[in-house]
Amino acid sequence: QKAVVFLGDSITQGWSDKFRGHFAGMKKANRGISGDTTRGVLIRLRDDVLPLNPAAIVLLIGTNDLEEKADPETIAANTKLILAALKEHNPKMPIILCKMFPSSATKKRPADKIKQVNELVAAMVKGDGQITVLETWILWADENGDAPKDVFPDLLHLNQEGYDMWAASLRPVLATH
């Protein structure tokens, strides 16, 4: 109850319950599920997330939608529904929306589609004081917009260095809430 809830897919699940040594002293809960999609989050939101009465939400979702051939507009529309449900549950709860991370066309996650999703979602929430968009794309995208292998060994999931970088980008935002 009243934890900062990290919500998403296997990348979020990769924090594990110990959050890789980050965010000491902060009450947190991991609701990342491997393979999850925006549709999956919508289905489990009411039973798996909202009953925790989150103090805040850190959301990263959408990469598996691309792998399943969803178009960027559908991913953005589902993200909008997720955000609406979170806002309806608590109109004062801070929501940190992480831009989708780079991956690779070899993983059926081409840079142009990821960028399109990120642009659609950022435009959709622009000016919404409850939602902070975290610019995670630029942390890692190489010159082609792909994930660098030294941080994403399988071109999808972060290694410890990647989680350290993500945590460093989250800390100042979490501190303001």
Side-chain angles (χ1 to χ4, degrees), residues 9-158:
D9 52 36
S10 59
I11 299 168
T12 299
Q13 185 179 26
W15 282 111
S16 79
D17 290 336
K18 297 188 189 283
F19 283 84
R20 295 178 173 255
H22 292 286
F23 314 114
M26 184 179 85
K27 193 173 186 181
K28 53 210 170 283
N30 191 333
R31 289 296 184 265
I33 295 180
S34 182
D36 212 353
T37 60
T38 54
R39 185 173 178 270
V41 168
L42 279 168
I43 291 169
R44 68 185 173 96
L45 199 58
R46 299 215 185 273
D47 292 331
D48 190 39
V49 178
L50 300 181
L52 296 176
N53 294 308
I57 295 283
V58 176
L59 177 65
L60 173 68
I61 196 68
T63 193
N64 293 322
D65 295 66
L66 285 177
E67 195 270 334
E68 291 182 358
K69 300 183 174 112
D71 60 67
E73 293 79 11
T74 300
I75 299 167
N78 285 346
T79 302
K80 184 176 184 176
L81 292 172
I82 293 166
L83 295 170
L86 293 170
K87 290 173 60 120
E88 179 183 324
H89 177 75
N90 183 344
K92 294 182 180 181
M93 175 181 61
I95 300 167
I96 301 165
L97 178 61
C98 299
K99 285 193 174 180
M100 198 183 307
F101 296 174
S103 183
S104 170
T106 63
K107 293 286 187 183
K108 300 180 185 171
R109 295 161 172 91
D112 63 323
K113 298 282 186 191
I114 295 171
K115 283 195 242 179
Q116 189 178 357
V117 171
N118 285 341
E119 289 168 4
L120 288 168
V121 171
M124 177 178 69
V125 302
K126 187 175 182 172
D128 186 326
Q130 190 175 351
I131 301 171
T132 302
V133 177
L134 190 64
E135 184 52 81
T136 44
W137 168 266
I138 61 172
L139 284 176
W140 297 294
D142 67 15
E143 64 278 355
N144 299 315
D146 289 333
K149 249 185 144 15
D150 62 326
V151 179
F152 294 79
D154 66 354
L155 299 176
L156 180 61
H157 299 96
L158 297 168

